[in-house]
Amino acid sequence: MQVREVMTKRPDYCPADATIRQVAERMRKDNSGFEPLVEGDRIVGTVTDRDLTIRALAEGQSPDEKASSIATSDVLYAFEDQDVKDVLRNMQEQHVQRLVVLNNQNDKRLVGVVTLSDIADRCEDDQMAREIANCSKHYH
């Protein structure tokens, strides 16, 4: 199974100049805990619900500050034609539960997001279930 078969696609994402409040509102609207920040179809960073809590709220940042101030600029990604099992291994190694999905190695255009939940919804076998469980363990 390839990533394109399980990933979540949306027509748009938050622009790179979005405020912290706008990202939080978007997460609420989409029932998501992860938001890529984009310039066109290029990703410039990601914000998680944890970033909103730890980097913004706990540090006393204004909701009107740019979300880029709390975003992670080292973006971890998968390609849409990758095998889901390879992506699960990568998630486990990187200690993450979400990756942005890019179209291919040449263009690297944002085409979606893949999460452990997306993969779990399409879980095919016991081995994949074990991989999902391994990715879900607490990290130290």
Side-chain angles (χ1 to χ4, degrees), residues 4 11 16-17 20 37 39 56 64-65 69-70 80 126 131:
R4 71 170 49 91
D17 64 349
I20 292 169
L37 299 177
E39 287 179 353
D64 298 317
E65 289 184 47
S69 69
I70 64 165
E80 65 181 344
D126 290 341
E131 293 292 331

Side-chain angles (χ1 to χ4, degrees), residues 11-27:
D12 63 341
Y13 297 93
C14 280
D17 64 349
T19 65
I20 292 169
R21 180 187 321 273
Q22 289 170 321
V23 169
E25 289 170 346
R26 180 62 181 255
M27 286 181 182

Side-chain angles (χ1 to χ4, degrees), residues 41-140:
D41 61 359
R42 301 284 178 200
I43 186 164
V44 296
T46 59
V47 178
T48 65
D49 47 5
R50 182 172 165 76
D51 294 331
L52 291 174
T53 305
I54 304 299
R55 294 185 181 166
L57 184 62
E59 293 179 6
Q61 290 200 28
S62 164
D64 298 317
E65 289 184 47
K66 298 294 181 197
S68 58
S69 69
I70 64 165
T72 300
S73 57
D74 271 349
V75 177
L76 300 176
Y77 57 88
F79 294 110
E80 65 181 344
D81 63 350
Q82 275 186 279
D83 187 275
V84 169
K85 290 180 182 178
D86 294 335
V87 171
L88 275 171
R89 280 189 287 280
N90 185 27
M91 287 177 160
Q92 184 178 10
E93 290 169 8
Q94 300 297 324
H95 303 292
V96 298
Q97 297 183 11
R98 308 165 184 130
L99 294 172
V100 296
V101 180
L102 306 178
N103 64 332
N104 61 53
Q105 290 183 332
N106 296 326
D107 297 336
K108 294 188 177 177
R109 283 182 316 158
L110 177 63
V111 294
V113 173
V114 65
T115 68
L116 281 183
S117 296
D118 292 330
I119 297 168
D121 286 345
R122 301 283 303 272
C123 185
E124 297 178 326
D125 57 44
D126 290 341
Q127 179 60 34
M128 185 179 286
R130 281 191 290 281
E131 293 292 331
I132 293 167
N134 286 334
C135 287
S136 300
K137 291 180 180 177
H138 290 287
Y139 308 114
H140 300 282

